[in-house]
Amino acid sequence: MSAVPGITIDGPARRVCLDVRNPDFFRNPLPAYAALHAQCPAFFWEEPQQWFFAGYDQVNALLRDRRFGRQILHVATREELGLPEPKPHLGDFDALEAHSLLELEPPAHTRLRTLVNRAFVSRQIEQLRPDIEALSHAIIDSFEADGEVELLKTYAETIPVTIIARMLGIPVEAAPRLLDWSHRMVKMYVFNPSFETELEANQASAEFAGYLNDIIAEKRAKPADDLLTHMISSEKDGERLSEAELISTTVLLLNAGHEATVHQIGNAVSTILQSGLFPAALFASEEATARTVEECLRFAAPLHIFQRYALSDIELEDGITLRKGDKIGLMLGAANVDPRKFTAPDMFMPDRNEGANVSFGAGLHFCIGAPLARLELNLSLPILFRRLPGLRLKHEPPVKDSFHFHGLERLDLVW
C-alpha cells in the first residue's frame, strides 16, 4: 500500500484507487506518480474502471501502436460494445467532435491532416517569429510600469490566442469570445463532467460553430492569405473539406492552439521562479533557452492524460488483456517523470540531456501544433525574464482543480 496521501496502491494486483479531485493529488501529482512507478506503472484505476500506463517506454510505445485509436465506432457498433446512445443535450458538442482531427483515424485523419499540415511545418512557423516577439514586447509594455501583473490573463493567454487567430484569419478582437468558448468546451475532457458542464460545453459549441459559419462564408466570398482560406480551397485527390470538417478543424486549432500553451507558459514561469535558478543563465543563448523549454515541458507538462481505444482484442506483453472497445489512459505527465528514463525526475534540471519528453504525444496523433507551441515558448519566456529581471512570485500560485489539464488558476507576479 502507498504512503502517499490520497492514493491506495495494491502493487501485486495492479489495482489503484485515486481521487483526481483530491487537492493533494492535483496540486502536485509527482509523489503519486513516483509511487506508481515504484509499485505498478501499469495499473487498473478503480474510479474510471480502466487500465492506465505511467511508464515512459510503454506510454511512448502505446502512443505509436496502431492497434489503438482515438475512435472506435468506425470498427464496431454501439450495440456490439454496449456503449450508451449519445446524449441529446450534447448534440452540438458531439457534432464538432465527429470531424475533429484529434478524434479521427485513417483514412479520414490522413486526409484532414494533409490538408492542414502545410501551415504547421517548422519553416512556415518560423516566419511568425517577428510577430510573436513584437506581441510579447507590446504586452509587457502595457503592464511593465505597474510593478505587478496576473500573468495568465495578460500574457500567457493573449500570445497564443492572438497568433492562432491571425494564422487562421479570424479577427483578433474576437479573442475574448474564443477563449470563453474554448474554456467551456475543454472542461468536457476531465473525468465525469457534470450535467451543468455538459450544457455549458454544448452551448459554447453551438455558438462557436455559428460564429465560424459566418467567418467561412466571408472567406468564400473574399479569400485571403490565411490558413482558413487555405483549408477552404485546398484539395486532396479531388476532395475538399466539408463545412462540418472546416468548422471542427478550426475549433480544434483554436482550442489546442492556445489552451495547452497558456498552461505551459504559466507552469514554466512558476517552475523557473520556484527553482532558485538564475533566469539569465537559463536563457543565455538559443541553445540554453531550447533546453530550458524542453525541461519545462517535461517537468510541468500541461496535458497529463491521452486516452485511446483498443481496436480489437489485445494481449499486451505484461499479461494485460484488453477487449475491443476498451479505453486505456496514457499518462503523459507520469511518463515524463519515469525514473527508468530520467535521472532525479522530480527535479527541474534544464541542463539534462536524456531524450525527448512525451508532452506533445507521439505517433499518428503527435501534436500538429508542436512547432508553433515551441516557438511561442522559446520566444515569450526569455523576453519576459529579460524585460523584468526582478520578477518574483507574489504568493504561491493556486493550481486548477483539473487533473487532465495541469495548470494554474492564476499567476500573480511582482518586480
Side-chain angles (χ1 to χ4, degrees), residues 142-183:
S142 73
F143 63 68
E144 184 178 18
D146 299 340
E148 64 177 295
V149 72
E150 195 290 293
L151 197 77
L152 295 190
K153 293 286 186 196
T154 52
Y155 194 71
E157 275 192 353
T158 306
I159 292 170
V161 76
T162 301
I163 295 300
I164 195 67
R166 285 181 186 170
M167 282 180 70
L168 282 158
I170 290 173
V172 171
E173 52 268 27
R177 276 188 292 167
L178 301 176
L179 289 167
D180 176 54
W181 291 327
S182 177
H183 293 333

Side-chain angles (χ1 to χ4, degrees), residues 28-179:
N28 179 19
L30 295 188
Y33 289 167
L36 290 170
H37 285 305
Q39 297 184 57
C40 54
F43 60 93
F44 190 81
W45 194 335
E46 297 287 0
E47 282 82 352
Q49 284 287 295
Q50 67 186 69
W51 284 94
F52 280 76
F53 301 87
Y56 180 93
D57 288 341
Q58 197 155 32
V59 167
N60 193 29
L62 289 170
L63 284 166
R64 303 166 193 273
D65 193 329
R66 296 295 296 277
R67 295 175 298 172
F68 295 87
R70 285 289 294 175
Q71 61 178 174
I72 188 63
L73 295 180
H74 63 309
V75 296
T77 64
R78 289 183 179 275
E79 294 75 22
E80 181 186 343
L81 300 172
L83 294 177
E85 288 300 311
K87 298 177 180 179
H89 63 277
L90 279 174
D92 294 295
F93 179 83
D94 289 342
L96 290 180
E97 292 279 289
H99 300 284
S100 171
L101 190 60
L102 187 61
E103 305 300 332
L104 296 175
E105 291 300 306
H109 176 274
T110 309
R111 172 175 156 271
L112 260 177
R113 185 150 182 152
T114 301
L115 288 170
V116 177
N117 197 51
R118 195 178 75 181
F120 286 90
V121 294
S122 295
R123 65 180 178 277
Q124 288 290 113
I125 294 301
E126 187 60 29
Q127 295 175 14
L128 297 169
R129 179 180 289 267
D131 284 355
I132 298 169
E133 289 177 335
L135 180 59
S136 300
H137 282 294
I139 297 169
I140 295 170
D141 288 344
S142 73
F143 63 68
E144 184 178 18
D146 299 340
E148 64 177 295
V149 72
E150 195 290 293
L151 197 77
L152 295 190
K153 293 286 186 196
T154 52
Y155 194 71
E157 275 192 353
T158 306
I159 292 170
V161 76
T162 301
I163 295 300
I164 195 67
R166 285 181 186 170
M167 282 180 70
L168 282 158
I170 290 173
V172 171
E173 52 268 27
R177 276 188 292 167
L178 301 176
L179 289 167

Side-chain angles (χ1 to χ4, degrees), residues 185-204:
M185 291 175 67
V186 164
K187 288 179 181 175
M188 283 293 292
Y189 302 115
V190 301
F191 287 150
N192 301 319
S194 68
F195 181 70
E196 291 73 21
T197 294
E198 292 179 338
L199 290 178
E200 280 284 301
N202 197 67
Q203 183 187 359

Side-chain angles (χ1 to χ4, degrees), residues 23-32 399 406:
D24 289 331
F25 175 62
F26 71 73
R27 286 176 187 156
N28 179 19
L30 295 188
V399 177
H406 186 69

Side-chain angles (χ1 to χ4, degrees), residues 242-262:
S242 69
E243 208 76 3
E245 289 172 332
L246 279 168
I247 291 172
S248 286
T249 304
T250 304
V251 167
L252 174 66
L253 294 176
L254 280 163
N255 287 358
H258 76 270
E259 197 74 40
T261 310
V262 171

